[in-house]
Amino acid sequence: MKSVKITAGLTYKEFFVRKMTREILAGKWNPGDRLPSERELAAELGIGKTVVHSGIEQLAAMGLVDIKPKSGVYVADYMNTGNIETLNAIVHLNGNELSWEVTVAILDLRLAIEGMALRALCFTRCAEDIVRLRAMTAQIRDHSHHSAVEELAELFFRWHREICILSGKSILTLFMNTMHDVSIAFWVNYLRMYGPSFAIDRLERFITLIEARDGEGAYKLLAIGIADYLSRLENEAGDKRERLNSIFG
Amino acid sequence: MKSVKITAGLTYKEFFVRKMTREILAGKWNPGDRLPSERELAAELGIGKTVVHSGIEQLAAMGLVDIKPKSGVYVADYMNTGNIETLNAIVHLNGNELSWEVTVAILDLRLAIEGMALRALCFTRCAEDIVRLRAMTAQIRDHSHHSAVEELAELFFRWHREICILSGKSILTLFMNTMHDVSIAFWVNYLRMYGPSFAIDRLERFITLIEARDGEGAYKLLAIGIADYLSRLENEAGDKRERLNSIFG
DNA sequence: TAACAAGAACTGGTCGGACCAGATTGTCTC
DNA sequence: GAGACAATCTGGTCCGACCAGTTCTTGTTA
C-alpha cells in the first residue's frame, strides 16, 4: 500500500524531488540540517530507496543538498553554493514570479551576453542572417494571434538566442541557453507588460540596425529597452503602493 | 564476461558517459545522428541497460543528446542548444585548456557579475566583511607555499565568490557558482601566468578599495586586470608565432 | 495484388531488490 | 576503562522485470 498520492503524470521520482524542493525552500529544513536517511524517506513514502537516491542526486545537482557518503544527506547553504538550477527551482516555486533582484541580475547578464553577440553579428553578418531573422520575426508575428504567452516567450527567447548563434560566438549561445528557464519567466512578464505587438516591432528595429552594421546602435537599443523595462517595473511597484495607500488611508 | 575495461575508480556509468562524451565531441557522431539503441549499447559494452539509460540522461542534461521516447537518442546540435555543462565537457576534454573565445566570454561575464557585486559591496560593506576578506587572503597566502595550483585556483574562486556573497546579491552568487568549473580552469591559467604572489597582492588591493567604499575603483581594478590578462594571452600567442618563425625560417 | 488489421518487436521509461564498501555504534573481554 | 570485533548504519551501484507507445511484419480478405 503506497503512502504516496501520485499527482497525475508525475513519477515517484518527480514527486519526491518536488516535495523535497518545496520543503527545503520553504524552510522546513535549514542549511546544515541532516535529512532522514534514504531508507527512512523511502519507507515513509512507500517507494524504493533507489528512487529516493536518484531524487537526492538530482537535488544535489540542483545545489539544494550535499551528500556525504556513509554519513548522510545535508541541506546545502544553497544561496551561497547553489547554481542556476537552484535559481530555476526558486523561480518555479514562486509560480515563475521574478523578484526585482532576479530581474536586474538576469537583464544585466543578458546585456553582457547579447551585447557581445550583437556587436559581433553587426560586424560579420551576411545576407542570409538578415533573411533568417526576418523569417523568425514573421513566424512570431503569425503566432502572436493565437499562441499562449509561454509559447511566445519561447519564440522570443529563441530569436535572441539566434543572435548569439549567428554571431558565431558559440560560448555566448551556451551561456544564454543556460539561462533558458529564468529567461522564459522574464519574457512572459515582458510580453504581459508591453504586449506582443510592441515586442515584435522592437525585433524589427534590431534587424534594421544589424543590417546597417550598427553594433553600437543595436547595443544601445538593448540597453535602453532593459532600462525602460526596469523603470516600468519600478513604477508598477510604486503604483501598487499608491493603490494600497488610497485604500488604507 | 564484461567487455568494458574499467579504468580504476570509474563506475560503469561514469565510463559510459565519458566514452560517449569523447566520441560525440570528437565528431564520431554528428548532430542529428541517431545513436545505437540503449539495448545495443548495453550489449556491446556488457553492462545493464539501466546504467546506459542513466548515462544517456546525463548526456541529455549536458546538452549533448536529445532523447526522443519510442524513437531513439539523437546527437544534439550541442553548440547551439547546449548549456554550461556542454562547455564544461568541452573544456575538460581539452585538458582544461581554454580557447581565446572561451576566455574572453568567461571574463566578460565575470566583469558583469563581479562588477555588480563589487559596487554593491562597496556601498553596503561592514567591518566584518573586511575582516573576512583579509582572513581569506591570509589563508590563501599560507597555502601558496605548498598547495597545488588547482587547490589555489579553488581558493581564488572562492575569494571572488565571497565578494558576491558579502554583497548580499544572492543571484550573482548562483551565477558565479554556475561558472565554477570553467572558472577554475581560468584561475589555473591565471596563476601560471602571474604567479600566486602577484595574484594575492591584487586581492589586497581589492580589499583596500572595498574598505574605502570605492566601487568605481574596484570595478576598474577588475576591468584592468582582465584587460591585462587578455593582452598577455595575446602576446604569448604572438611569442609562440615568433618562436616558430625563428625555428622554421 | 492491394489494403487493412492484428500481433510482434522495437523504442525509451520506471521501479525495486540485491549487493557493495566504508563509517559508526554497540558489545564483549581483559 | 580501553581495545577489539561484530553488527548496524550510511550512501552507492547495478541489474532484471515490467510498462507504454510506436513501428514493422505477417496474415487475411476483397
Side-chain angles (χ1 to χ4, degrees), chain A residues 37-39 49-50 53 67:
Chain A
S37 74
E38 296 180 351
R39 287 178 175 89
K49 181 180 80 76
T50 312
H53 180 77
I67 303 175

Side-chain angles (χ1 to χ4, degrees), chain B residues 133-161:
Chain B
L133 290 172
R134 289 225 149 101
M136 287 181 82
T137 309
Q139 184 196 17
I140 295 176
R141 202 179 285 276
D142 286 349
H143 274 75
S144 66
H145 308 302
H146 57 266
S147 290
V149 66
E150 286 83 9
E151 259 181 66
L152 280 187
E154 179 70 39
L155 293 177
F156 275 90
F157 171 79
R158 291 188 181 181
W159 191 98
H160 285 274
R161 179 180 72 181

Side-chain angles (χ1 to χ4, degrees), chain A residues 51-212:
Chain A
V51 177
V52 168
H53 180 77
S54 183
I56 282 173
E57 276 186 333
Q58 192 174 326
L59 292 170
M62 287 161 73
L64 294 176
V65 300
D66 290 319
I67 303 175
K68 298 188 183 171
K70 328 294 179 205
S71 166
V73 178
Y74 300 81
V75 175
D77 188 13
Y78 51 84
M79 291 315 295
N80 287 342
T81 60
N83 54 47
I84 188 69
E85 291 302 324
T86 317
L87 178 58
N88 289 340
I90 292 168
V91 169
H92 189 250
L93 189 69
N94 292 339
N96 288 337
E97 277 280 326
L98 297 178
S99 73
W100 172 259
E101 187 194 358
V102 174
T103 305
V104 171
I106 292 171
L107 292 179
D108 217 62
L109 278 185
R110 191 173 145 228
L111 188 59
I113 295 172
E114 204 172 334
M116 286 167 81
L118 278 168
R119 288 197 183 103
L121 180 57
C122 288
F123 196 66
T124 63
R125 65 112 184 125
C126 63
E128 283 90 10
D129 296 341
I130 305 296
V131 171
R132 171 82 180 136
L133 290 173
R134 290 225 147 100
M136 287 181 83
T137 308
Q139 184 196 16
I140 296 175
R141 200 178 286 277
D142 287 347
H143 274 78
S144 66
H145 308 302
H146 58 269
S147 290
V149 67
E150 285 84 9
E151 259 182 67
L152 279 187
E154 180 71 37
L155 294 176
F156 274 91
F157 171 79
R158 290 186 184 183
W159 193 97
H160 285 275
R161 179 179 72 182
E162 195 68 22
I163 297 289
C164 299
I165 294 175
L166 296 177
S167 78
K169 305 281 188 182
S170 312
I171 309 303
L172 298 181
T173 308
L174 300 182
F175 282 139
M176 194 162 243
N177 286 331
T178 300
M179 288 170 59
H180 173 268
D181 290 358
V182 284
S183 296
I184 294 292
F186 158 75
W187 280 112
V188 165
N189 290 339
Y190 181 90
L191 288 168
R192 285 192 175 136
M193 179 181 289
Y194 289 101
S197 253
F198 177 87
I200 292 164
D201 291 344
R202 180 150 297 233
L203 298 188
E204 296 187 339
R205 284 176 64 189
F206 274 114
I207 296 176
T208 302
L209 291 166
I210 293 166
E211 198 166 19

